[in-house]
Amino acid sequence: MPVRAEPSDKAELVTELVFGECYSILLVQGAWQQIRSAADEYVGWIDGKQHTPVSAEYLAAWKAQDHPRSLDLVQMVSDATTRVPVIIGSRLPFFDGMTLRLGEQQLFYNGAATNPQNGHGPHGDLDKRLALLLKVGQLHLKAPYVWGGKSLFGIDCSGLMQQLFGLVGVQLPRDARQQVELGQTVHFVTQARPGDLAFFDNAEGRIIHVGMVLEDQRILHASGEVRIDPLDHNGIFRRDRQKYSHTLRLIRRVL
């Protein structure tokens, strides 16, 4: 669901809400609602026609849990009268292995999912969490870049990192300039390990890009499309263009 900078279909897309996410309504203006995401506190405007209300009790219970996430590229949740497509990385609220709960509605899910209690959560085995990050990251290759996107069908650099790390129980902020505040600094590219986050700045020193370090000094990032490129102490090198596309600022370890 698109979240926009202003209450208009013509306004900038600032982020998206994927299936299973919750939010609070801050303001109503005509057909539009200003909302705050319950996961990352990002604020924007949604079309009121896309709003699905839940109770305060549901929201409180939702916030108290680390919910499983869908691992199928696209899957269906359904009941006798409803079929809803969900993308990889979608939350499956209160999922018990067969059904999930969306407000008062019970829906059936028959796809692959993470298990926060069995190694995928924030206290799980590091190797297992890294393996999941790298596997799902590869599944996003060639996904088109869309400013504000968080979907396999259109995603930006920080949205990709937020979605991937959510699979292993790490809730990143929405923007790269916020994500850079997390974790511990890795001082040299040669000391980076898979799963570290690399941040890049512009000529004014502003953080404008983020990607995930892979083995052999490579990086997974969204730039035009989700892609893998070489990474060194200067930044990201595009072999197809024979030049650097992004200037490295620093590397942070969040796992």
Side-chain angles (χ1 to χ4, degrees), residues 24-38:
S24 299
I25 297 174
L26 305 178
L27 183 66
V28 176
Q29 185 171 315
W32 290 82
Q33 298 171 348
Q34 188 184 49
I35 61 101
R36 176 182 285 116
S37 167

Side-chain angles (χ1 to χ4, degrees), residues 4-59:
R4 300 190 179 278
E6 303 291 340
S8 168
D9 285 316
K10 298 179 180 180
E12 174 191 2
L13 180 72
V14 293
T15 190
E16 291 177 323
L17 296 173
V18 297
F19 181 87
E21 291 191 273
C22 283
Y23 53 88
S24 299
I25 297 174
L26 305 178
L27 183 66
V28 176
Q29 185 171 315
W32 290 82
Q33 298 171 348
Q34 188 184 49
I35 61 101
R36 176 182 285 116
S37 167
D40 59 20
E41 300 190 343
Y42 218 70
V43 174
W45 292 86
I46 66 168
D47 186 335
K49 295 188 294 295
Q50 296 179 308
H51 169 60
T52 300
V54 297
S55 68
E57 292 76 17
Y58 178 94
L59 177 59

Side-chain angles (χ1 to χ4, degrees), residues 110-131:
N110 189 30
T114 63
N115 186 341
Q117 280 73 51
N118 188 28
H120 293 151
H123 306 296
D125 178 75
L126 179 60
D127 289 340
K128 182 178 288 189
R129 297 167 78 203
L130 283 174

